[in-house]
Amino acid sequence: MKRLLLATALIAAPMLAQAADAPKIDPAKLSAHIKILSSDEYEGRGPGTEGEKKAVGYIVEQMKAIGLTPAGDVQKDGKRAWTQNVPLAKFQLDGPVAASVAKDGKTTPLAQGDQIAIRASMTNVDAVSLKNAPIVFAGYGVKAPERNWDDFKGLDVKGKILVVLINDPDFETGSGDFGGKAMTYYGRWTYKYEEAARLGAAGVLIVHETAPASYGWATVKNSNTNVMFDIVRKEPAKSHPAIEAWIQRDTAVDLFKQAGLDFDALKKQAQSRDFKAVELPGLTFSADFKVKHEVITSKNVAGRIVGTKFPNETIIYSGHWDHLGVGAPDAKGDKIYNGAIDNADGIAALLELGRAFKSKPAPQRSILFLAVTAEEKGLLGSEYYSANPLFPIATTVGDINIDALSAAGPAKDIGTSGDGKVDLQDMLVAKAKLHGRYFTPDPSPQAGHFYRSDHFPFAKRGVPAISIGSGNDLIKGGKDAGEKAEADYTENRYHQPADEWSASWDLSGQAMDLGLVYEIGADLANSRVWPQWQAGSEFKALRDKTAAQRK
């Protein structure tokens, strides 16, 4: 309650002053942007493709028309470009993937895409050839000394294939050393690959289960058998094992049976800190595939409104322009992953927020509208910006990220991705209340949404950051209709070619949500308020170190 009262007090005066005359966001304009950006002509907006050129070109053209100021890389003449160059390492499977397990001289092939999803190796090699590597079940693949937890105790992983579970050890029981249902970073697949690389494992097979992963196998298949990207690394093998893959649960259960082990029993054991890794006796793993790799330059797009009084203090609205490009065909033969909701609607939001701010006198602080690349490849565009900021991180007031808002109509509530323990979230709660709406905490904290959107690279550098999520308590149909719409999207469209624009959408809810985030940004841009991370946040200490730079 004290948090909310503080946030309300900090912004009450400016919010009451400008709420009445806040410009309205036009749902028709949102729809028009989404329709263009997610059309087949844009080929799924894959980084490093013709689709990127078209998407970046469209965003720049629109920012110019709206009247924003270019805010990208500084050029030789001292002026800024509209874009920030983002060097990316690109990795692509070159030909078929052969994978198999062997036991007592009998080899069983594993079908790429159906039973296993092996990513192109991101270790700068032309080919991977692994022969008869021992397989070890390493629980959740977690090494967390602050929690006195080590799934690798007594285990030398070098040259071995690790089979690990997705999410945290607490997921099944809802209580324990990892905060219960809410996922920590230890639960993310990115962490599990990183930790395996640090320990020198040959590879990792993450067991896919829909509930703890929070998405189905189709999402895993489409995301991992596609082109992969990473930031350019001097020693990539320190961050990536040679084999990074997912395996279907039923396939994993069968492997355990072949080794004389009970998957469910071992999974239960893995939920205890006393768990010790178990080798699958007599079972080995082999894989052969080729990789094409190169370094490309992708682009973030940056447009700005320069503050009249404190131009070096920046509020950021962010969203990713990229999607999965062209990939494996669906049942209808469609190979273009259009990414309409994810995240053409976020880019539409940035553009229309820019238009809204330009319709009013320039604010005291600067506002940056940042369309980032390669979110789908691991938040790489926002990671690059955060490591190479166009404007100082210490005087970045906050980041409000917009990713995959609902097209199901207006809701009584609004939410965020995860609980960030940050004043920005309390400001959203207070703002929603002013408009007769309410805040719903992330209903699926176990899905780790906080670590899955472009606000996270800002957060891990101390910048107060949230990612906005549409509510599910729809004005028409209530929670039942909202939850059904979200479940339908997750199952049938998320990371699939069916994520396409529809004339039947009701984007008035998106417009309402963007009205709230407009008002928060306007309040901050015309005040001396510096949002903070609150007690208990892992990012508070990082922000506090730069406090002297904020007056």
Side-chain angles (χ1 to χ4, degrees):
M1 180 59 72
K2 288 182 179 178
R3 286 172 47 183
L4 184 53
L5 289 173
L6 175 61
T8 304
L10 285 172
I11 64 174
M15 88 162 50
L16 292 172
Q18 63 92 356
D21 64 348
K24 300 296 183 185
I25 304 293
D26 185 350
K29 285 188 168 67
L30 294 172
S31 183
H33 292 309
I34 299 168
K35 184 177 182 180
I36 291 170
L37 286 165
S38 64
S39 66
D40 282 359
E41 181 185 350
Y42 282 64
E43 301 175 344
R45 305 188 307 280
T49 68
E50 287 299 312
E52 165 166 356
K53 292 179 183 177
K54 291 175 181 176
V56 168
Y58 179 82
I59 298 166
V60 170
E61 173 189 288
Q62 293 299 310
M63 285 186 173
K64 285 180 180 178
I66 289 166
L68 301 181
T69 299
D73 290 329
V74 178
Q75 303 172 100
K76 290 181 180 178
D77 61 4
K79 296 180 180 178
R80 286 188 179 268
W82 283 100
T83 58
Q84 178 186 36
N85 286 338
V86 180
L88 295 175
K90 178 182 178 182
F91 306 91
Q92 189 168 7
L93 292 169
D94 186 14
V97 173
S100 63
V101 292
K103 176 82 161 63
D104 298 330
K106 180 184 176 183
T107 298
T108 304
L110 298 173
Q112 169 77 336
D114 293 330
Q115 294 174 298
I116 197 169
I118 297 179
R119 296 156 51 133
S121 180
M122 291 190 275
T123 55
N124 290 346
V125 296
D126 298 324
V128 172
S129 183
L130 188 68
K131 301 295 184 186
N132 298 319
I135 304 173
V136 177
F137 175 58
Y140 285 85
V142 171
K143 190 173 186 133
E146 78 284 1
R147 288 170 164 85
N148 190 27
W149 194 284
D150 185 2
D151 286 331
F152 304 99
K153 49 185 171 288
L155 174 66
D156 180 3
V157 306
K158 289 181 174 60
K160 295 181 173 67
I161 291 291
L162 305 179
V163 177
V164 301
L165 302 166
I166 191 60
N167 214 305
D168 290 324
D170 292 359
F171 175 80
E172 303 291 339
T173 62
S175 63
D177 297 293
F178 292 82
K181 283 286 187 182
M183 184 191 284
T184 69
Y185 189 58
Y186 294 114
R188 287 287 288 150
W189 55 266
T190 46
Y191 164 80
K192 296 174 193 295
Y193 291 150
E194 290 163 1
E195 188 60 43
R198 283 189 282 268
L199 296 173
V204 180
L205 307 181
I206 298 175
V207 179
H208 174 262
E209 295 182 275
T210 298
S214 81
Y215 38 73
W217 181 257
T219 299
V220 170
K221 173 184 173 181
N222 295 336
S223 301
N224 288 276
T225 60
N226 208 311
V227 180
M228 307 307 300
F229 290 87
D230 194 13
I231 58 172
V232 177
R233 302 179 190 270
K234 290 182 179 179
E235 298 179 278
K238 289 187 175 180
S239 300
H240 297 282
I243 291 176
E244 297 177 324
W246 290 69
I247 186 169
Q248 283 265 35
R249 182 189 188 279
D250 290 347
T251 304
V253 169
D254 185 62
L255 296 186
F256 278 59
K257 276 185 183 176
Q258 290 185 47
L261 300 173
D262 184 323
F263 174 84
D264 288 321
L266 284 171
K267 179 180 175 182
K268 189 168 185 179
Q269 290 177 30
Q271 295 159 19
S272 164
R273 64 161 44 91
D274 297 328
F275 168 80
K276 289 186 178 180
V278 176
E279 185 164 342
L280 276 62
L283 208 65
T284 61
F285 178 88
S286 299
D288 280 283
F289 54 91
K290 294 181 180 178
V291 182
K292 288 194 292 189
H293 55 96
E294 60 182 315
V295 174
I296 67 162
T297 299
S298 189
K299 294 182 183 296
N300 292 333
V301 186
R304 187 182 184 217
I305 297 174
V306 181
T308 57
K309 194 171 181 181
F310 307 103
N312 294 325
E313 299 175 4
T314 305
I315 293 104
I316 298 177
Y317 288 103
S318 62
H320 70 94
W321 60 254
D322 69 296
H323 198 55
L324 301 180
V326 178
D330 64 7
K332 297 178 181 179
D334 189 351
K335 297 192 292 185
I336 297 177
Y337 291 69
N338 303 84
I341 294 297
D342 184 17
N343 185 39
D345 75 354
I347 297 304
L350 291 188
L351 295 173
E352 291 311 304
L353 283 166
R355 190 189 310 279
F357 275 101
K358 284 298 292 183
S359 73
K360 296 292 182 180
Q364 295 177 19
R365 286 167 157 168
S366 296
I367 302 176
L368 179 65
F369 302 91
L370 182 66
V372 296
T373 183
E375 186 270 356
E376 301 291 4
K377 306 304 180 183
L379 315 180
L380 301 181
S382 52
E383 177 69 24
Y384 186 83
Y385 178 94
S386 300
N388 304 273
L390 296 167
F391 304 97
I393 286 291
T395 53
T396 296
V397 179
D399 171 61
I400 300 174
N401 188 63
I402 303 165
D403 192 348
L405 298 179
S406 170
K412 301 170 190 174
D413 60 335
I414 194 166
T416 56
S417 295
D419 182 0
K421 296 184 177 65
V422 64
D423 290 346
L424 281 176
Q425 183 168 303
D426 290 346
M427 292 174 184
L428 178 65
V429 174
K431 186 66 69 177
K433 186 176 181 181
L434 182 72
H435 286 269
R437 301 176 67 185
Y438 69 94
F439 177 81
T440 297
D442 187 341
S444 304
Q446 68 273 18
H449 291 126
F450 188 84
Y451 310 101
R452 290 166 56 180
S453 284
D454 284 305
H455 66 297
F456 179 55
F458 290 96
K460 69 182 184 181
R461 289 170 175 83
V463 176
I466 57 174
S467 192
I468 300 297
S470 296
N472 272 345
D473 188 359
L474 300 183
I475 290 174
K476 295 180 181 178
K479 292 181 181 179
D480 184 58
E483 289 169 0
K484 282 182 179 177
E486 183 176 20
D488 175 69
Y489 173 75
T490 301
E491 182 176 350
N492 298 313
R493 277 169 275 284
Y494 176 59
H495 282 202
Q496 299 177 58
D499 185 5
E500 298 178 308
W501 175 87
S502 172
S504 67
W505 284 348
D506 180 355
L507 299 185
S508 61
Q510 289 194 13
M512 281 177 52
D513 295 344
L514 297 176
L516 295 183
V517 300
Y518 168 87
E519 291 182 21
I520 293 170
D523 291 343
L524 290 171
N526 290 295
S527 76
R528 302 307 299 139
V529 172
W530 294 97
Q532 301 294 327
W533 294 102
Q534 294 148 0
S537 167
E538 61 267 55
F539 311 115
K540 186 179 186 323
L542 285 168
R543 187 64 165 178
D544 290 349
K545 287 180 181 178
T546 62
Q549 298 179 52
R550 294 182 293 278
K551 303 297 183 183

